[in-house]
Amino acid sequence: MALKDVRSGQRNEQGIETVLGLLKQQFGERFQTGQAFREQHAHTTTYLPSQLPDGVVFVETAEDVKAVVSACAAHKVPVIAFGTGSSLEGQVNAPSGGISIDFSRMNRVLQINAEDLDVVVEPGVTREQLNTELRDTGLFFPIDPGANASIGGMAATRASGTNAVRYGTMKDNVLALTVVTANGEEIRTAQRARKSSAGYDLTRLFVGSEGTLGVITSVTLRLQGIPEKIGGGVCAFPSVKAACDAVILTVQMGIPVARIELLDEMQMRACNAYSGLSYAEKPTLFVEFHGTEQTVALQAEQFTEIATECGGDSFSFTANAEERSRLWKARHDAYWASRALAPHLNGLSTDVCVPISRLADCVVETQADIQEHGYLAPIVGHAGDGNFHVLILFDDKDPEDVARAEAFVARLNTRALAMGGTCTGEHGIGQGKMSFLEQELGGAVDLMRSIKKGLDPENIFNPGKIFPMTMSLPNA
Amino acid sequence: MALKDVRSGQRNEQGIETVLGLLKQQFGERFQTGQAFREQHAHTTTYLPSQLPDGVVFVETAEDVKAVVSACAAHKVPVIAFGTGSSLEGQVNAPSGGISIDFSRMNRVLQINAEDLDVVVEPGVTREQLNTELRDTGLFFPIDPGANASIGGMAATRASGTNAVRYGTMKDNVLALTVVTANGEEIRTAQRARKSSAGYDLTRLFVGSEGTLGVITSVTLRLQGIPEKIGGGVCAFPSVKAACDAVILTVQMGIPVARIELLDEMQMRACNAYSGLSYAEKPTLFVEFHGTEQTVALQAEQFTEIATECGGDSFSFTANAEERSRLWKARHDAYWASRALAPHLNGLSTDVCVPISRLADCVVETQADIQEHGYLAPIVGHAGDGNFHVLILFDDKDPEDVARAEAFVARLNTRALAMGGTCTGEHGIGQGKMSFLEQELGGAVDLMRSIKKGLDPENIFNPGKIFPMTMSLPNA
């Protein structure tokens, strides 16, 4: 099924009209229906065309969220939660219209529990804001998906990023959520305790549910102590296979590497061109260690041995912060360097994740596919997790080029699934990957549908995401 | 509501009779209905009276499980999965009768993926068996709940134990499951990749669902490298508060302690008496570090500083394996030492978990409660997680003493909940804690019920656990 088909939705015009009136009355200036607002809340970093909501509510409290959800539930109108719009698979599009809930004003850090290494935040807090507010406590929130995403959005898409290899993903770092459910009430998924065996794990059911089961109103997060010392370095390898072997050995030896990123030859070429650098244009690992002076030095030494054994060039390493930033510059600029390869084209950032033993195979086969079809498509991987991204550049105005890009993504996913991998390590299903979810998990998707029907019988929460719009909206 | 009321169930006699006939025909000698078999499969380490299943199937393959579930589903007969029977809250009781699925013959290690640090096992594999089979790989499975439980059972109850502080609980260590669902089909919850954002997190929904949503037929687990060096030690403190302060500082400083166990004064007294030892009868921390020669020594040094700062006695530490076993003997014998305080009484092992900052308060208040009411009830805690157990000794033949024990558990749970804690850190809800689940999570339990209804509409999977028997069994 082509993407454009699974993305179509039907509108409940009468319900929407009623809700627009109700929300205008209740929220006044905090409810906006102007074109600019609507466009802004469908326009994301995704390659998928925008589908606009009918209005945007700027919520300030959980009570506001309850009011919006209650109104929408009563009239069977879609509700789409909006953090910062940095999702990549069309998660904030509104295929059936409806109301976008903007969380940018619901961005308070509610409770810092330094002794317990946790924090309670509203969903609109961004990760950079959180780390700024935490600075005096000696603690930090480690998950770093690249974008300055909102914590609510990161929880909803089960985000991770460069240092998941050490600190885990959102599933490992969310301790509890409050959520407004389909009946307009707020529930708490768990207490603040570090662990629990009390009933079904609703926290982890909502983490990664992409706004389809309810609207998150607060997030309790685990924190980490800011490392005394951070060291980082760069090492080029003769082949992707050699680089991946170094990653596998690093993980197997239990070196608690904080980040271990793989950039392929095309990505390194793009980075050199973009920033006037002179890295070797070979598969390269960017590595970071967190610890004390002693343990960082020890880890660097162990990694150097592994890199040498795997045929790597000499490992440029430093524990000096500025020097480390300079060394890591190519990694930080990877996205924009890639886009600069063809500034007139759009970029489709896709991701898969495979067991680490298959990472080299999957990357090498994907590079061959890219070369065979003549794509511009650099590869960046969170190698320690077996997760990698391809940014494929394509002309979104040319239907044939769109089809070519979609066909590439389909082949990539089929390849990853055949290796025991998943069609998305961290971007989520959204609109873009619905067919691959079926391909990946088959009958398990029926269970997901049962859960969706049980928790959101009228399909008001972010309809047309994760599952195609099979549950059509009844008219009010 | 008294426990005996929520534990009662109604029987679907006609359905049970039909299924007994079907299974006898299909499984022959592998299906047993004798009293001894039935008793063995309801008799667990729980304090709750046994409720016998009507028959026991010794399954050998997933096909067997599908056959049993299909027969039971067709005739609306309960299905109770049975690992080793080491659950503590009545999880394998059969309040409405039905069929116990015994997994002891479905105990193969199916796949060791050493490069990926994972393993695929059948549910009947026990954790000790698994570690024996892994010995040559340099890898191990870290979760240690004390009992030699089955991996299927550990997944079903979201088990953890002494080293969860370092390695996490079952929720962190199960990568994927296969499960037979209510329609008798087998689904896979996830691929083998380290992380995924593909749809709802069914893996973590089944982990901790206590057999109420389906029957697990295989478990994919993360493994860890066997540490090069293990060091351990013991340190007595002047008060529970001082010991807990040392734990908090250890966790805050990011010392990757592998185990940090708190034994209270009564527990230490029991251990001395049981094993003829001469530990100080003061709150005591038992600590273990995993790493290299260097890092273990470093961690021990850091912990010594913390312990001294918190007023601890000198920290007896050793990196010698035999010496460490000797030092840790009191911890290993804690359960039997406690039972020996009053060999004629039964023991009720209960558990709560609070944010670590409240651990001292919760333990101290609980000790005061124990003293005030004159219970024999030693305390052992997985202090790094804020999780602790009380083994309350009581006469299970004396209804008044049973009521006294139940009242103590109720006060303990209320105390933990008021501190932001949970009514169970690792034992689960089973039959014993259904009322506390409501008290802890309120409206969220309705969502759990919706999920249960969606995935198990006829309530055949372990009915009367987690939720009272409100969904009565229709007659066939």
Side-chain angles (χ1 to χ4, degrees), chain A residues 114 116 157-158 160 191-192 195-197 199-200 212-213 252 356-357 387 420-422 424 426, chain B residues 114 116 157-158 160 191-192 195-197 199-200 212 252 356-357 387 420-422 424 426:
Chain A
D116 295 317
T157 49
R158 204 180 297 131
S160 44
Q191 296 274 77
R192 205 161 56 74
K195 67 182 197 184
S196 173
S197 285
Y200 302 159
T212 62
L213 297 176
Q252 266 185 336
I356 196 174
S357 65
N387 182 205
T422 173
T424 173
E426 55 186 26
Chain B
D116 295 317
T157 48
R158 203 181 297 130
S160 43
Q191 296 275 78
R192 204 163 56 76
K195 66 182 199 185
S196 172
S197 284
Y200 302 158
T212 63
Q252 266 186 338
I356 195 173
S357 64
N387 183 204
T422 174
T424 172
E426 54 185 28

mmCIF file of all heavy atoms in Angstrom, chain A residues 114 116 157-158 160 191-192 195-197 199-200 212-213 252 356-357 387 420-422 424 426, chain B residues 114 116 157-158 160 191-192 195-197 199-200 212 252 356-357 387 420-422 424 426:
data_model
loop_
_atom_site.group_PDB
_atom_site.id
_atom_site.type_symbol
_atom_site.label_atom_id
_atom_site.label_comp_id
_atom_site.label_asym_id
_atom_site.label_seq_id
_atom_site.Cartn_x
_atom_site.Cartn_y
_atom_site.Cartn_z
ATOM 1 N N ALA A 114 16.678 15.327 44.391
ATOM 2 C CA ALA A 114 18.099 15.066 44.156
ATOM 3 C C ALA A 114 18.554 13.777 44.842
ATOM 4 O O ALA A 114 19.306 12.991 44.262
ATOM 5 C CB ALA A 114 18.936 16.248 44.625
ATOM 6 N N ASP A 116 16.928 11.144 45.398
ATOM 7 C CA ASP A 116 16.407 9.958 44.704
ATOM 8 C C ASP A 116 16.851 9.892 43.255
ATOM 9 O O ASP A 116 16.461 8.971 42.532
ATOM 10 C CB ASP A 116 14.879 9.963 44.759
ATOM 11 C CG ASP A 116 14.372 9.819 46.180
ATOM 12 O OD1 ASP A 116 14.946 8.988 46.902
ATOM 13 O OD2 ASP A 116 13.434 10.532 46.563
ATOM 14 N N THR A 157 7.456 8.921 21.911
ATOM 15 C CA THR A 157 8.047 8.176 20.792
ATOM 16 C C THR A 157 9.132 7.191 21.232
ATOM 17 O O THR A 157 9.789 6.596 20.399
ATOM 18 C CB THR A 157 8.669 9.128 19.747
ATOM 19 O OG1 THR A 157 9.491 10.074 20.421
ATOM 20 C CG2 THR A 157 7.605 9.849 18.966
ATOM 21 N N ARG A 158 9.309 7.027 22.516
ATOM 22 C CA ARG A 158 10.357 6.128 23.045
ATOM 23 C C ARG A 158 11.719 6.503 22.446
ATOM 24 O O ARG A 158 12.446 5.670 21.909
ATOM 25 C CB ARG A 158 10.011 4.665 22.752
ATOM 26 C CG ARG A 158 10.658 3.667 23.700
ATOM 27 C CD ARG A 158 10.301 2.211 23.383
ATOM 28 N NE ARG A 158 8.902 1.941 23.525
ATOM 29 C CZ ARG A 158 8.143 1.311 22.615
ATOM 30 N NH1 ARG A 158 8.684 0.868 21.513
ATOM 31 N NH2 ARG A 158 6.876 1.130 22.813
ATOM 32 N N SER A 160 15.625 7.848 21.947
ATOM 33 C CA SER A 160 16.885 7.480 22.599
ATOM 34 C C SER A 160 17.990 8.366 22.049
ATOM 35 O O SER A 160 18.023 9.546 22.364
ATOM 36 C CB SER A 160 17.176 5.997 22.452
ATOM 37 O OG SER A 160 16.947 5.494 21.166
ATOM 38 N N GLN A 191 4.046 4.831 40.932
ATOM 39 C CA GLN A 191 4.593 5.691 41.964
ATOM 40 C C GLN A 191 6.038 6.049 41.597
ATOM 41 O O GLN A 191 6.563 5.609 40.580
ATOM 42 C CB GLN A 191 4.565 4.967 43.310
ATOM 43 C CG GLN A 191 3.169 4.642 43.794
ATOM 44 C CD GLN A 191 2.560 5.814 44.551
ATOM 45 O OE1 GLN A 191 2.112 6.808 43.964
ATOM 46 N NE2 GLN A 191 2.527 5.709 45.860
ATOM 47 N N ARG A 192 6.679 6.804 42.493
ATOM 48 C CA ARG A 192 8.013 7.307 42.193
ATOM 49 C C ARG A 192 9.114 6.289 42.558
ATOM 50 O O ARG A 192 10.294 6.535 42.283
ATOM 51 C CB ARG A 192 8.225 8.626 42.937
ATOM 52 C CG ARG A 192 9.253 9.570 42.332
ATOM 53 C CD ARG A 192 9.058 10.992 42.840
ATOM 54 N NE ARG A 192 9.087 11.096 44.284
ATOM 55 C CZ ARG A 192 10.185 11.007 45.046
ATOM 56 N NH1 ARG A 192 11.357 10.813 44.493
ATOM 57 N NH2 ARG A 192 10.101 11.130 46.352
ATOM 58 N N LYS A 195 11.462 0.768 41.396
ATOM 59 C CA LYS A 195 10.948 -0.419 40.712
ATOM 60 C C LYS A 195 9.635 -0.834 41.352
ATOM 61 O O LYS A 195 9.338 -0.427 42.474
ATOM 62 C CB LYS A 195 11.988 -1.550 40.761
ATOM 63 C CG LYS A 195 12.243 -2.107 42.147
ATOM 64 C CD LYS A 195 13.303 -3.194 42.140
ATOM 65 C CE LYS A 195 13.222 -4.001 43.420
ATOM 66 N NZ LYS A 195 14.259 -5.014 43.549
ATOM 67 N N SER A 196 8.862 -1.615 40.641
ATOM 68 C CA SER A 196 7.561 -2.037 41.136
ATOM 69 C C SER A 196 7.105 -3.267 40.370
ATOM 70 O O SER A 196 7.440 -3.440 39.195
ATOM 71 C CB SER A 196 6.541 -0.905 40.960
ATOM 72 O OG SER A 196 5.240 -1.366 41.281
ATOM 73 N N SER A 197 6.361 -4.142 41.046
ATOM 74 C CA SER A 197 5.705 -5.253 40.356
ATOM 75 C C SER A 197 4.200 -5.149 40.513
ATOM 76 O O SER A 197 3.499 -6.149 40.489
ATOM 77 C CB SER A 197 6.194 -6.597 40.922
ATOM 78 O OG SER A 197 7.491 -6.884 40.463
ATOM 79 N N GLY A 199 1.037 -4.748 39.162
ATOM 80 C CA GLY A 199 0.137 -4.745 38.003
ATOM 81 C C GLY A 199 0.850 -4.503 36.690
ATOM 82 O O GLY A 199 2.077 -4.556 36.612
ATOM 83 N N TYR A 200 0.057 -4.271 35.646
ATOM 84 C CA TYR A 200 0.627 -4.115 34.307
ATOM 85 C C TYR A 200 1.483 -2.855 34.244
ATOM 86 O O TYR A 200 1.187 -1.848 34.887
ATOM 87 C CB TYR A 200 -0.492 -4.019 33.260
ATOM 88 C CG TYR A 200 -1.426 -5.206 33.218
ATOM 89 C CD1 TYR A 200 -2.702 -5.095 32.663
ATOM 90 C CD2 TYR A 200 -1.043 -6.446 33.724
ATOM 91 C CE1 TYR A 200 -3.569 -6.177 32.619
ATOM 92 C CE2 TYR A 200 -1.908 -7.537 33.681
ATOM 93 C CZ TYR A 200 -3.167 -7.385 33.141
ATOM 94 O OH TYR A 200 -4.014 -8.464 33.096
ATOM 95 N N THR A 212 -1.330 7.836 21.024
ATOM 96 C CA THR A 212 -2.538 7.144 20.555
ATOM 97 C C THR A 212 -3.391 6.562 21.684
ATOM 98 O O THR A 212 -4.469 6.037 21.422
ATOM 99 C CB THR A 212 -2.185 5.976 19.605
ATOM 100 O OG1 THR A 212 -1.408 5.015 20.328
ATOM 101 C CG2 THR A 212 -1.396 6.464 18.384
ATOM 102 N N LEU A 213 -2.897 6.642 22.938
ATOM 103 C CA LEU A 213 -3.655 6.032 24.042
ATOM 104 C C LEU A 213 -4.093 7.044 25.093
ATOM 105 O O LEU A 213 -4.869 6.701 25.988
ATOM 106 C CB LEU A 213 -2.801 4.944 24.718
ATOM 107 C CG LEU A 213 -2.393 3.743 23.865
ATOM 108 C CD1 LEU A 213 -1.488 2.810 24.643
ATOM 109 C CD2 LEU A 213 -3.616 3.001 23.337
ATOM 110 N N GLN A 252 31.233 -6.155 24.378
ATOM 111 C CA GLN A 252 31.446 -7.460 25.020
ATOM 112 C C GLN A 252 32.370 -7.383 26.219
ATOM 113 O O GLN A 252 32.181 -8.088 27.203
ATOM 114 C CB GLN A 252 32.038 -8.448 24.015
ATOM 115 C CG GLN A 252 30.990 -9.281 23.338
ATOM 116 C CD GLN A 252 31.600 -10.327 22.452
ATOM 117 O OE1 GLN A 252 32.734 -10.185 21.999
ATOM 118 N NE2 GLN A 252 30.848 -11.364 22.173
ATOM 119 N N ILE A 356 23.569 -6.402 17.175
ATOM 120 C CA ILE A 356 24.862 -5.777 16.884
ATOM 121 C C ILE A 356 25.750 -6.665 16.009
ATOM 122 O O ILE A 356 26.526 -6.174 15.180
ATOM 123 C CB ILE A 356 25.536 -5.366 18.217
ATOM 124 C CG1 ILE A 356 26.657 -4.396 17.953
ATOM 125 C CG2 ILE A 356 25.977 -6.546 18.999
ATOM 126 C CD1 ILE A 356 27.259 -3.851 19.241
ATOM 127 N N SER A 357 25.594 -7.993 16.129
ATOM 128 C CA SER A 357 26.401 -8.907 15.305
ATOM 129 C C SER A 357 26.077 -8.768 13.819
ATOM 130 O O SER A 357 26.850 -9.173 12.968
ATOM 131 C CB SER A 357 26.166 -10.363 15.731
ATOM 132 O OG SER A 357 24.817 -10.733 15.471
ATOM 133 N N ASN A 387 21.876 0.371 15.977
ATOM 134 C CA ASN A 387 20.870 1.281 15.407
ATOM 135 C C ASN A 387 21.558 2.231 14.427
ATOM 136 O O ASN A 387 22.599 2.781 14.742
ATOM 137 C CB ASN A 387 20.272 2.079 16.583
ATOM 138 C CG ASN A 387 19.166 3.051 16.214
ATOM 139 O OD1 ASN A 387 18.955 4.018 16.946
ATOM 140 N ND2 ASN A 387 18.454 2.828 15.130
ATOM 141 N N GLY A 420 16.772 -10.081 12.088
ATOM 142 C CA GLY A 420 16.312 -10.051 13.479
ATOM 143 C C GLY A 420 16.190 -8.646 14.019
ATOM 144 O O GLY A 420 16.123 -8.427 15.236
ATOM 145 N N GLY A 421 16.151 -7.671 13.103
ATOM 146 C CA GLY A 421 16.084 -6.272 13.522
ATOM 147 C C GLY A 421 14.682 -5.717 13.528
ATOM 148 O O GLY A 421 13.707 -6.429 13.272
ATOM 149 N N THR A 422 14.600 -4.427 13.806
ATOM 150 C CA THR A 422 13.323 -3.726 13.873
ATOM 151 C C THR A 422 13.303 -2.593 12.850
ATOM 152 O O THR A 422 14.357 -2.037 12.510
ATOM 153 C CB THR A 422 13.074 -3.158 15.292
ATOM 154 O OG1 THR A 422 11.896 -2.339 15.274
ATOM 155 C CG2 THR A 422 14.234 -2.298 15.781
ATOM 156 N N THR A 424 12.276 0.297 13.260
ATOM 157 C CA THR A 424 12.620 1.594 13.844
ATOM 158 C C THR A 424 13.206 1.420 15.231
ATOM 159 O O THR A 424 12.575 0.840 16.124
ATOM 160 C CB THR A 424 11.421 2.570 13.880
ATOM 161 O OG1 THR A 424 11.810 3.747 14.602
ATOM 162 C CG2 THR A 424 10.197 1.961 14.521
ATOM 163 N N GLU A 426 14.272 4.107 17.005
ATOM 164 C CA GLU A 426 13.971 5.260 17.870
ATOM 165 C C GLU A 426 13.059 6.307 17.266
ATOM 166 O O GLU A 426 12.630 7.209 17.977
ATOM 167 C CB GLU A 426 15.277 5.922 18.321
ATOM 168 C CG GLU A 426 16.209 6.335 17.174
ATOM 169 C CD GLU A 426 17.560 6.865 17.676
ATOM 170 O OE1 GLU A 426 17.969 6.484 18.780
ATOM 171 O OE2 GLU A 426 18.176 7.661 16.953
ATOM 172 N N ALA B 114 26.260 -15.059 21.531
ATOM 173 C CA ALA B 114 27.301 -14.489 22.390
ATOM 174 C C ALA B 114 27.707 -13.095 21.916
ATOM 175 O O ALA B 114 27.906 -12.187 22.733
ATOM 176 C CB ALA B 114 28.510 -15.417 22.426
ATOM 177 N N ASP B 116 25.955 -10.881 20.508
ATOM 178 C CA ASP B 116 24.910 -9.899 20.807
ATOM 179 C C ASP B 116 24.601 -9.823 22.291
ATOM 180 O O ASP B 116 23.715 -9.063 22.698
ATOM 181 C CB ASP B 116 23.640 -10.254 20.029
ATOM 182 C CG ASP B 116 23.852 -10.138 18.535
ATOM 183 O OD1 ASP B 116 24.483 -9.151 18.119
ATOM 184 O OD2 ASP B 116 23.400 -11.031 17.797
ATOM 185 N N THR B 157 6.417 -12.348 36.709
ATOM 186 C CA THR B 157 6.219 -11.556 37.934
ATOM 187 C C THR B 157 7.118 -10.318 37.987
ATOM 188 O O THR B 157 7.143 -9.630 38.988
ATOM 189 C CB THR B 157 6.491 -12.391 39.201
ATOM 190 O OG1 THR B 157 7.724 -13.077 39.024
ATOM 191 C CG2 THR B 157 5.390 -13.395 39.450
ATOM 192 N N ARG B 158 7.844 -10.045 36.918
ATOM 193 C CA ARG B 158 8.765 -8.890 36.886
ATOM 194 C C ARG B 158 9.735 -8.977 38.080
ATOM 195 O O ARG B 158 9.892 -8.032 38.860
ATOM 196 C CB ARG B 158 7.990 -7.570 36.892
ATOM 197 C CG ARG B 158 8.757 -6.394 36.312
ATOM 198 C CD ARG B 158 7.955 -5.073 36.347
ATOM 199 N NE ARG B 158 6.768 -5.126 35.550
ATOM 200 C CZ ARG B 158 5.561 -4.770 35.961
ATOM 201 N NH1 ARG B 158 5.396 -4.299 37.175
ATOM 202 N NH2 ARG B 158 4.535 -4.868 35.169
ATOM 203 N N SER B 160 13.159 -9.367 40.421
ATOM 204 C CA SER B 160 14.452 -8.680 40.418
ATOM 205 C C SER B 160 15.337 -9.323 41.479
ATOM 206 O O SER B 160 15.761 -10.448 41.298
ATOM 207 C CB SER B 160 14.290 -7.188 40.583
ATOM 208 O OG SER B 160 13.359 -6.823 41.554
ATOM 209 N N GLN B 191 11.424 -8.052 18.077
ATOM 210 C CA GLN B 191 12.572 -8.705 17.469
ATOM 211 C C GLN B 191 13.722 -8.733 18.484
ATOM 212 O O GLN B 191 13.587 -8.243 19.601
ATOM 213 C CB GLN B 191 13.010 -7.919 16.227
ATOM 214 C CG GLN B 191 11.957 -7.903 15.117
ATOM 215 C CD GLN B 191 12.065 -9.131 14.234
ATOM 216 O OE1 GLN B 191 11.625 -10.221 14.605
ATOM 217 N NE2 GLN B 191 12.619 -8.956 13.046
ATOM 218 N N ARG B 192 14.848 -9.248 18.037
ATOM 219 C CA ARG B 192 15.971 -9.435 18.957
ATOM 220 C C ARG B 192 16.849 -8.184 19.084
ATOM 221 O O ARG B 192 17.791 -8.162 19.868
ATOM 222 C CB ARG B 192 16.796 -10.647 18.476
ATOM 223 C CG ARG B 192 17.611 -11.337 19.531
ATOM 224 C CD ARG B 192 18.033 -12.734 19.078
ATOM 225 N NE ARG B 192 18.749 -12.756 17.824
ATOM 226 C CZ ARG B 192 20.029 -12.384 17.673
ATOM 227 N NH1 ARG B 192 20.732 -11.974 18.693
ATOM 228 N NH2 ARG B 192 20.603 -12.440 16.486
ATOM 229 N N LYS B 195 17.018 -2.333 20.885
ATOM 230 C CA LYS B 195 15.981 -1.345 21.181
ATOM 231 C C LYS B 195 15.066 -1.225 19.980
ATOM 232 O O LYS B 195 15.430 -1.615 18.865
ATOM 233 C CB LYS B 195 16.604 0.007 21.551
ATOM 234 C CG LYS B 195 17.355 0.672 20.425
ATOM 235 C CD LYS B 195 18.009 1.993 20.868
ATOM 236 C CE LYS B 195 18.342 2.834 19.644
ATOM 237 N NZ LYS B 195 19.083 4.056 19.953
ATOM 238 N N SER B 196 13.877 -0.687 20.210
ATOM 239 C CA SER B 196 12.904 -0.552 19.134
ATOM 240 C C SER B 196 11.870 0.491 19.531
ATOM 241 O O SER B 196 11.578 0.666 20.711
ATOM 242 C CB SER B 196 12.213 -1.894 18.879
ATOM 243 O OG SER B 196 11.151 -1.729 17.965
ATOM 244 N N SER B 197 11.347 1.206 18.534
ATOM 245 C CA SER B 197 10.208 2.096 18.772
ATOM 246 C C SER B 197 9.024 1.655 17.934
ATOM 247 O O SER B 197 8.180 2.456 17.552
ATOM 248 C CB SER B 197 10.580 3.541 18.425
ATOM 249 O OG SER B 197 11.384 4.101 19.431
ATOM 250 N N GLY B 199 5.778 0.428 17.690
ATOM 251 C CA GLY B 199 4.476 0.154 18.283
ATOM 252 C C GLY B 199 4.523 0.013 19.798
ATOM 253 O O GLY B 199 5.529 0.338 20.437
ATOM 254 N N TYR B 200 3.425 -0.468 20.359
ATOM 255 C CA TYR B 200 3.321 -0.578 21.813
ATOM 256 C C TYR B 200 4.318 -1.600 22.345
ATOM 257 O O TYR B 200 4.594 -2.607 21.702
ATOM 258 C CB TYR B 200 1.898 -0.986 22.223
ATOM 259 C CG TYR B 200 0.813 -0.055 21.753
ATOM 260 C CD1 TYR B 200 -0.504 -0.490 21.634
ATOM 261 C CD2 TYR B 200 1.084 1.271 21.430
ATOM 262 C CE1 TYR B 200 -1.512 0.361 21.210
ATOM 263 C CE2 TYR B 200 0.076 2.131 21.004
ATOM 264 C CZ TYR B 200 -1.217 1.663 20.885
ATOM 265 O OH TYR B 200 -2.208 2.499 20.463
ATOM 266 N N THR B 212 -1.750 -13.405 33.329
ATOM 267 C CA THR B 212 -3.164 -13.045 33.143
ATOM 268 C C THR B 212 -3.496 -12.615 31.719
ATOM 269 O O THR B 212 -4.660 -12.360 31.412
ATOM 270 C CB THR B 212 -3.574 -11.885 34.081
ATOM 271 O OG1 THR B 212 -2.806 -10.728 33.737
ATOM 272 C CG2 THR B 212 -3.341 -12.242 35.544
ATOM 273 N N GLN B 252 24.316 8.033 44.684
ATOM 274 C CA GLN B 252 24.489 9.384 44.137
ATOM 275 C C GLN B 252 25.851 9.599 43.499
ATOM 276 O O GLN B 252 25.984 10.304 42.514
ATOM 277 C CB GLN B 252 24.304 10.422 45.248
ATOM 278 C CG GLN B 252 22.898 10.949 45.312
ATOM 279 C CD GLN B 252 22.764 12.066 46.319
ATOM 280 O OE1 GLN B 252 23.571 12.187 47.242
ATOM 281 N NE2 GLN B 252 21.737 12.874 46.151
ATOM 282 N N ILE B 356 14.377 6.047 47.484
ATOM 283 C CA ILE B 356 15.482 5.724 48.378
ATOM 284 C C ILE B 356 15.627 6.741 49.518
ATOM 285 O O ILE B 356 16.017 6.401 50.631
ATOM 286 C CB ILE B 356 16.781 5.554 47.555
ATOM 287 C CG1 ILE B 356 17.872 4.879 48.347
ATOM 288 C CG2 ILE B 356 17.237 6.839 46.968
ATOM 289 C CD1 ILE B 356 19.091 4.556 47.495
ATOM 290 N N SER B 357 15.238 7.983 49.260
ATOM 291 C CA SER B 357 15.332 9.025 50.301
ATOM 292 C C SER B 357 14.399 8.723 51.472
ATOM 293 O O SER B 357 14.563 9.265 52.551
ATOM 294 C CB SER B 357 14.979 10.397 49.727
ATOM 295 O OG SER B 357 13.628 10.423 49.306
ATOM 296 N N ASN B 387 13.964 -1.002 48.159
ATOM 297 C CA ASN B 387 13.057 -2.154 48.246
ATOM 298 C C ASN B 387 13.399 -2.961 49.489
ATOM 299 O O ASN B 387 14.557 -3.234 49.735
ATOM 300 C CB ASN B 387 13.280 -3.001 46.975
ATOM 301 C CG ASN B 387 12.376 -4.223 46.852
ATOM 302 O OD1 ASN B 387 12.740 -5.163 46.166
ATOM 303 N ND2 ASN B 387 11.216 -4.234 47.465
ATOM 304 N N GLY B 420 5.346 7.721 48.576
ATOM 305 C CA GLY B 420 5.612 7.668 47.139
ATOM 306 C C GLY B 420 6.078 6.300 46.682
ATOM 307 O O GLY B 420 6.649 6.143 45.606
ATOM 308 N N GLY B 421 5.846 5.298 47.520
ATOM 309 C CA GLY B 421 6.327 3.956 47.213
ATOM 310 C C GLY B 421 5.256 3.079 46.589
ATOM 311 O O GLY B 421 4.145 3.533 46.305
ATOM 312 N N THR B 422 5.623 1.814 46.397
ATOM 313 C CA THR B 422 4.722 0.839 45.785
ATOM 314 C C THR B 422 4.488 -0.324 46.747
ATOM 315 O O THR B 422 5.354 -0.628 47.566
ATOM 316 C CB THR B 422 5.302 0.318 44.452
ATOM 317 O OG1 THR B 422 4.469 -0.739 43.954
ATOM 318 C CG2 THR B 422 6.707 -0.240 44.623
ATOM 319 N N THR B 424 4.467 -3.351 46.066
ATOM 320 C CA THR B 424 5.346 -4.489 45.792
ATOM 321 C C THR B 424 6.448 -4.097 44.828
ATOM 322 O O THR B 424 6.184 -3.644 43.720
ATOM 323 C CB THR B 424 4.569 -5.722 45.268
ATOM 324 O OG1 THR B 424 5.529 -6.712 44.864
ATOM 325 C CG2 THR B 424 3.665 -5.390 44.102
ATOM 326 N N GLU B 426 8.818 -6.372 43.929
ATOM 327 C CA GLU B 426 9.238 -7.504 43.108
ATOM 328 C C GLU B 426 8.425 -8.777 43.265
ATOM 329 O O GLU B 426 8.606 -9.690 42.479
ATOM 330 C CB GLU B 426 10.719 -7.811 43.354
ATOM 331 C CG GLU B 426 11.067 -8.028 44.815
ATOM 332 C CD GLU B 426 12.574 -8.208 45.041
ATOM 333 O OE1 GLU B 426 13.355 -7.678 44.250
ATOM 334 O OE2 GLU B 426 12.948 -8.882 46.020
#
